[in-house]
């Protein structure tokens, strides 16, 4: 019976759902940010009480249905939040976001690579893999955080826009690192094919354009197509199911051809959110996706907390705290300041400009994508018998997990404080 009905796993899932539903109202009742509460509950029910097996949490987060609940939840969250994207604000902040998502991600990866190799003794190529993995920032943390803070829209849109669009660059850098160590790996087959056809460095540029342009164009086309079809057919209450199905379809197809699906998902959500007629059925669709997004957010942070083991905590906690501190206060500012200054070349620097840049440089938690990517080096090492990846893969994985944990907890706690220090007068107005 146990083989047919895995009651333990069902109980784990039911406990996750109950805790997800209960934790956020409790946090709001206590007037505290819910993210650290969710992670703390995950730590309690996972490694400490073992009500949820850490191994099962890792499986749910990274491997369930082949991609993991973490990635599926991220898809739902990105699609829901992209409904609220202000295209006018994004246009005005385009150069900042583009600079942060290219120059900033590359600087982050390179500086983090050197520091990781320095503190762990890892080869530089391993340091580069680590830096690439932890380079993307996380919208899952920023979105609920900014809902609770009164902050200028153009500042929040820069940070959220950066986190929505920097995943492709991080994924490309990871692909470059894997391609150097395991050029025949199926995980980098598309990049290897392009690089073999037009040489390595032009291949990186072409791969980047494919990863960004192709899904973006498809996402925009699908968004407008759904709006047009709804006018002709009138899907009514079935609009919610159709759009959720379309988003999952986008994710599946692009993942299947080794192209990041996130630009397509974001583009579809942005088109629907900005160009639909805002009728009652569109509003119901938006409300449903928001509720699903809240649930996904809760489950993701509970799983992050419950994924640790006691041995990992004892062995890597000091390294995790050190790497997170360096990432927040050294690597992140080193990437943000030159990126924004380059984007703002020729612009008049208004009063308080550098304080705004300083605030942006201190906000950039890591999240779902680094956790998912962090498993790749070890998996590739085992699949292709690459000793350097087998040796250092687990260190990269656990270190990235701790960085995600501590960056989320630290930054959800101190971001309101940093806001009061650097931009105390920023409300909902424009702050350029």
């Amino acid at each position: 019976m146990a083989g047919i009905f895995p009651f333990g796993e069902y109980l784990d899932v039911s406990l996750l759902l109950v805790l997800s539903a209960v934790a956020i109202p409790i946090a709001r009742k206590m007037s505290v940010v819910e993210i650290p509460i969710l992670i703390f509950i995950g730590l309690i029910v996972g490694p400490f009480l073992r009500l949820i097996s850490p191994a099962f949490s890792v499986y749910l987060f990274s491997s369930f249905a082949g991609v993991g609940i973490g990635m599926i939840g991220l898809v739902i969250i990105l699609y829901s939040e992209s409904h609220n994207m202000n295209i006018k604000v994004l246009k005005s902040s385009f150069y900042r976001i583009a600079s942060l998502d290219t120059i900033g991600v590359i600087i982050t990866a390179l500086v983090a690579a050197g520091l990781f190799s320095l503190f762990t003794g890892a080869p530089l190529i391993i340091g580069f893999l680590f830096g690439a993995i932890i380079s993307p920032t996380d919208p899952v943390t920023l979105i609920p955080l900014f809902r609770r803070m009164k902050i200028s829209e153009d500042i929040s849109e820069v940070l959220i826009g950066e986190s929505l669009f920097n995943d492709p660059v991080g994924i490309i850098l990871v692909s470059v690192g894997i391609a150097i160590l395991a050029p025949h790996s199926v995980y980098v087959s598309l990049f290897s094919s392009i690089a073999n056809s037009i040489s390595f460095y032009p291949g990186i540029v072409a791969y980047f354009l494919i990863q960004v342009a192709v899904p973006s164009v498809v996402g925009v086309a699908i968004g407008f197509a759904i709006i047009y079809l709804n006018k002709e057919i009138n899907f009514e209450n079935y609009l919610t199911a159709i759009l959720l199905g379309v988003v999952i379809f986008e994710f599946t197809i692009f993942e299947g051809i080794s192209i990041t699906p996130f630009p397509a998902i974001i583009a579809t959500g942005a088109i629907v959110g900005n160009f639909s007629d805002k009728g009652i059925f569109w509003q119901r669709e938006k409300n449903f996706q928001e509720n699903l997004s809240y649930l996904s957010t809760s489950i993701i942070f509970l799983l992050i907390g419950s994924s640790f083991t006691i041995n990992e905590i004892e062995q890597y906690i000091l390294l995790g705290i050190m790497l997170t501190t360096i990432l927040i206060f050294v690597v992140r500012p080193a990437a943000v300041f030159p990126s924004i200054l380059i984007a703002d070349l020729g612009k008049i620097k208004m009063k308080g400009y550098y304080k705004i840049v300083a605030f942006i440089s201190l906000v950039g938690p890591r999240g779902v994508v680094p956790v998912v990517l962090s498993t790749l080096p070890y998996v590739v090492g085992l699949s292709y018998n690459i000793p350097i990846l087998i040796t250092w893969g687990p260190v990269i994985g656990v270190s990235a997990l701790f960085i995600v944990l501590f960056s989320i907890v630290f930054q959800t706690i101190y971001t309101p404080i940093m806001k009061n220090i650097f931009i105390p007068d920023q409300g909902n107005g424009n702050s350029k």
Side-chain angles (χ1 to χ4, degrees), residues 138-218:
D138 182 42
V140 179
T141 303
L142 293 173
I143 291 165
L145 182 61
F146 288 155
R147 285 196 187 111
R148 299 177 63 92
M149 294 171 55
K150 289 184 178 180
I151 188 168
S152 173
E153 189 177 34
D154 63 311
I155 296 176
S156 65
E157 287 287 357
V158 167
L159 285 163
I160 292 176
E162 175 200 7
S163 65
L164 288 173
F165 296 108
N166 61 13
D167 294 329
V169 181
I171 291 168
I172 289 164
L173 294 178
V174 173
S175 299
V176 170
I178 294 293
I180 292 171
L181 292 169
H184 302 296
S185 167
V186 296
Y187 297 96
V188 293
S189 57
L190 177 60
F191 173 73
S192 296
S193 299
I194 295 171
N196 290 334
S197 300
I198 60 175
S199 76
F200 190 78
Y201 293 108
I204 295 175
V205 177
Y207 187 60
F208 171 75
L209 293 175
I210 290 172
Q211 291 285 335
V212 176
V214 172
S216 295
V217 170
V218 171

Side-chain angles (χ1 to χ4, degrees), residues 59 94-95 105 133 181 187 249 260 266 270 307 321 332 373 392 410 412 416:
Y59 162 73
F94 172 79
Y95 291 108
V105 171
I133 286 168
L181 292 169
Y187 297 96
F249 175 78
T260 176
I266 294 165
S307 294
I321 291 173
R332 172 73 177 171
L373 291 176
W392 288 101
F410 292 167
T412 51

Side-chain angles (χ1 to χ4, degrees), residues 250-368:
E250 288 177 336
F251 173 78
T252 304
I253 294 299
F254 283 114
E255 279 287 301
I257 59 176
S258 300
I259 295 178
T260 176
F262 302 131
I265 293 162
I266 294 165
T268 298
I271 295 300
V272 167
N274 282 271
F275 296 100
S276 63
D277 58 21
K278 307 296 188 300
I280 185 172
F281 296 111
W282 287 107
Q283 191 60 46
R284 287 177 182 174
E285 188 270 339
K286 179 181 177 182
N287 292 340
F288 174 82
Q289 305 296 354
E290 284 182 351
N291 290 331
L292 200 57
S293 174
Y294 280 120
L295 179 62
S296 301
T297 301
S298 299
I299 292 174
I300 284 171
F301 289 120
L302 282 170
L303 286 175
I304 287 174
S306 62
S307 294
F308 288 92
T309 65
I310 295 295
N311 288 337
E312 288 172 345
I313 293 173
E314 291 175 347
Q315 187 173 356
Y316 291 101
I317 188 169
L318 293 179
L319 177 64
I321 291 173
M322 180 181 65
L323 290 173
T324 305
T325 303
I326 292 170
L327 178 69
I328 291 173
F329 297 109
V330 178
V331 178
R332 172 73 177 171
V336 168
F337 268 92
S339 299
I340 291 186
L341 289 175
I342 290 171
D344 291 346
L345 281 175
K347 294 183 179 180
I348 299 173
K349 307 298 188 292
M350 306 298 289
K351 183 180 179 181
Y353 173 84
Y354 290 102
K355 287 186 176 182
I356 292 173
V357 178
F359 174 76
I360 294 173
S361 75
L362 293 172
V363 180
R366 271 55 186 177
V368 176

Side-chain angles (χ1 to χ4, degrees), residues 71-127:
M71 194 63 76
I72 296 170
L74 179 61
V75 168
I76 293 168
I77 293 164
L78 291 180
Y79 173 68
S80 174
E81 181 56 28
S82 60
H83 280 61
N84 303 316
M85 290 173 62
N86 188 324
I87 291 180
K88 291 182 179 179
V89 174
L90 282 178
K91 284 181 179 179
S92 65
S93 301
F94 172 79
Y95 291 108
R96 285 185 176 184
I97 294 172
S99 186
L100 287 167
D101 285 346
T102 50
I103 298 170
V105 171
I106 293 170
I107 292 174
T108 298
L110 294 176
V111 176
L115 292 172
F116 183 80
S117 296
L118 176 66
F119 287 112
T120 65
L124 275 175
I125 184 61
I126 294 297

Side-chain angles (χ1 to χ4, degrees), residues 225-236 239 282:
I226 293 294
I227 292 173
Y228 172 77
L229 286 173
N230 186 62
K231 288 180 179 178
E232 296 296 319
I233 301 173
N234 193 5
F235 296 119
E236 296 184 344
L239 190 62
W282 287 107

